[in-house]
Amino acid sequence: MERTLSIIKPDGVRKNVIGEVIKRFEGAGIHIVAMKMLKLSKEDAKRFYAVHKDRPFYDSLTDFMSSGPIVVMVLEGNDVIKKNRELMGATNYKEAAAGTIRRDFATDIEQNVVHGSDGPDTAVVEIAFFFNQLEIYS
Ligand code: IDP
């Protein structure tokens, strides 16, 4: 059993597709074991995306991620890190496979609806960024 962090980004909340995204997770046999809605400050967003601090889009990305409420979730299931990445689709929605969340709902390479941890070590760090042990219901 594996866990990963999923975020419905501010554009996903604005596009009113929270339920649609969750439906895809549940339809794939993934369990949501923690969930909340919150708004990141610019500083929070910069800490969360610190790995991208030298990329040209860092300032714009952290402005976007702090521009409105997000929904953060811990997903649990077999091979859930990879499964979630498959459901999300490629970073650039134009390259994302048909039927993926980004292909269906993203309109921009930056405003691409969802975030998902990219590996087991990242998942541990990202889950701890948002949730404590008492907030996760396995
Ligand atoms: P991922 O979200 O598919 O794992 P990453 O390369 O980790 O992709 O990038 C993190 C986020 O930064 C992306 O989801 C997207 O919002 C944004 N991003 C990535 N590449 C670009 C770019 O070239 N221009 C603008 N934003 C980008």
Side-chain angles (χ1 to χ4, degrees), residues 4 8 29 78 89 110:
T4 191
I8 302 177
N78 289 321
E110 181 177 271

Side-chain angles (χ1 to χ4, degrees), residues 89-107:
T91 307
N92 186 348
Y93 74 101
K94 290 179 183 165
E95 290 160 14
T100 60
I101 294 167
R102 284 168 166 171
R103 177 63 173 267
D104 289 346
F105 304 117
T107 48

Side-chain angles (χ1 to χ4, degrees), residues 49-61 91:
Y49 276 118
V51 63
H52 291 311
K53 65 178 171 9
D54 297 325
R55 309 283 283 276
F57 55 82
Y58 182 59
D59 191 48
S60 165
L61 174 64
T91 307

Side-chain angles (χ1 to χ4, degrees), residues 1 10 24 42 44 55 72 76 85 101 109 114-115 119 122 124 134:
M1 203 53 89
R24 291 176 185 217
K42 171 81 173 174
D44 296 330
R55 309 283 283 276
V72 289
E76 191 175 80
R85 301 280 307 182
I101 294 167
I109 187 169
V114 278
H115 167 85
T122 324
V124 169
L134 298 175

